Amino acid sequence: GASATSHTHTGLTNGTTYYYRISALMGSIESERSAVVSGIPNLTVTKTFDATYQTQDFVVPAGVNWIQARVVGAAGGGVSGGWATGGAVTSIIPVTPGETLRLNVGTQPKLISGQNVWGFNGGGISNRGITSGGGGASDIRRGGNTWSDRILVAGGGGGSAATFGGYNSGLEGYWDSGAASAGGGQSLTVTWPTNATIPSSRVLGRLGQGANSVASGGGGGGYFGGSTYGTNGGGAGSSYAYPVSYTHLRAHETGRN
């Protein structure tokens, strides 16, 4: 009506740009139209997934075409300052309403009811004990629930031993405080630190899985898991974000959790 000063536009699609102009109408006479303004509706609901030691599903709601996700990798055992901490990755991800994303929330190794419970989602095991286990990575998966289905990964910290475990430093996992146990990277190729001088003492992390060890700290889980060396703390796992066709505005944070 002539006295209306607002209008609510319903039935919109999140992430779509809508354009508007207004005018006044008196009978059959319409005034000049205003300049064009635009708006993008966005879903503002926040949903947090805590660790459950198993895969969790997220079904994309109707009308949602983008989500902003932040995943945080778990710390390894024996945190000291920033050593042995996991990383965090934030990204905006295009999604399809009704699709199911698989979520795995990493955990720090803990003693629960007298039992060693190692870092869920790739944390390496250590025979030294639970405080030397690697932290699990956290990730989002699309199209399945294998290591190869991950589109966003935050690496876990390495477990501490004779030295402190490595921390996640963004895309790359960092080595331990003794500069011997290599962190995970973006491929299986590992650059060993200067103090890893004896090849037979090296245990390599794998895709998704931190290295297990008898004498050192376990490697952190990650896109590629951290490796271990001798009696040193384990290297941290790496983080990852699928190429820009899936994720945008990617941000990597160092030494979290």
Side-chain angles (χ1 to χ4, degrees):
S3 60
T5 59
S6 65
H7 172 72
T8 300
H9 189 179
T10 61
L12 306 183
T13 300
N14 285 310
T16 299
T17 303
Y18 294 87
Y19 299 91
Y20 303 92
R21 301 173 73 180
I22 61 172
S23 63
L25 187 66
M26 181 177 292
S28 61
I29 302 174
E30 182 180 9
S31 70
E32 182 178 352
R33 295 181 181 180
S34 69
V36 175
V37 297
S38 64
I40 304 175
N42 290 290
L43 186 70
T44 57
V45 174
T46 299
K47 185 172 180 62
T48 301
F49 288 85
D50 296 319
T52 62
Y53 294 90
Q54 61 185 358
T55 299
Q56 303 173 68
D57 288 345
F58 171 70
V59 179
V60 178
V64 176
N65 298 104
W66 298 83
I67 61 171
Q68 178 170 303
R70 183 173 185 266
V71 293
V72 181
V79 172
S80 179
W83 292 105
T85 53
V89 183
T90 301
S91 184
I92 296 175
I93 305 172
V95 293
T96 301
E99 78 165 305
T100 299
L101 300 176
R102 314 301 300 276
L103 313 178
N104 292 278
V105 181
T107 63
Q108 186 179 26
K110 296 179 180 179
L111 189 67
I112 299 177
S113 300
Q115 299 295 317
N116 288 338
V117 180
W118 302 101
F120 174 73
N121 205 30
I125 296 171
S126 172
N127 283 12
R128 294 176 66 106
I130 197 67
T131 58
S132 294
S138 294
D139 63 56
I140 298 176
R141 308 182 187 192
R142 166 178 270 150
N145 196 32
T146 70
W147 297 128
S148 299
D149 295 315
R150 297 173 298 169
I151 61 172
L152 202 64
V153 183
S160 296
T163 60
F164 296 118
Y167 58 86
N168 178 273
S169 57
L171 282 175
E172 305 297 320
Y174 199 70
W175 53 65
D176 70 291
S177 64
S181 295
Q186 297 301 295
S187 71
L188 192 56
T189 301
V190 169
T191 300
W192 288 91
T194 55
N195 291 335
T197 56
I198 305 173
S200 61
S201 295
R202 302 170 180 173
V203 182
L204 193 64
R206 308 188 305 275
L207 180 68
Q209 177 65 51
N212 298 328
S213 178
V214 173
S216 68
Y223 181 57
F224 277 87
S227 299
T228 67
Y229 179 83
T231 60
N232 286 53
S238 60
S239 295
Y240 173 80
Y242 196 89
V244 74
S245 58
Y246 268 12
T247 61
H248 303 262
L249 302 178
R250 296 169 289 176
H252 300 269
E253 302 172 46
T254 297
R256 310 292 296 183
N257 196 28

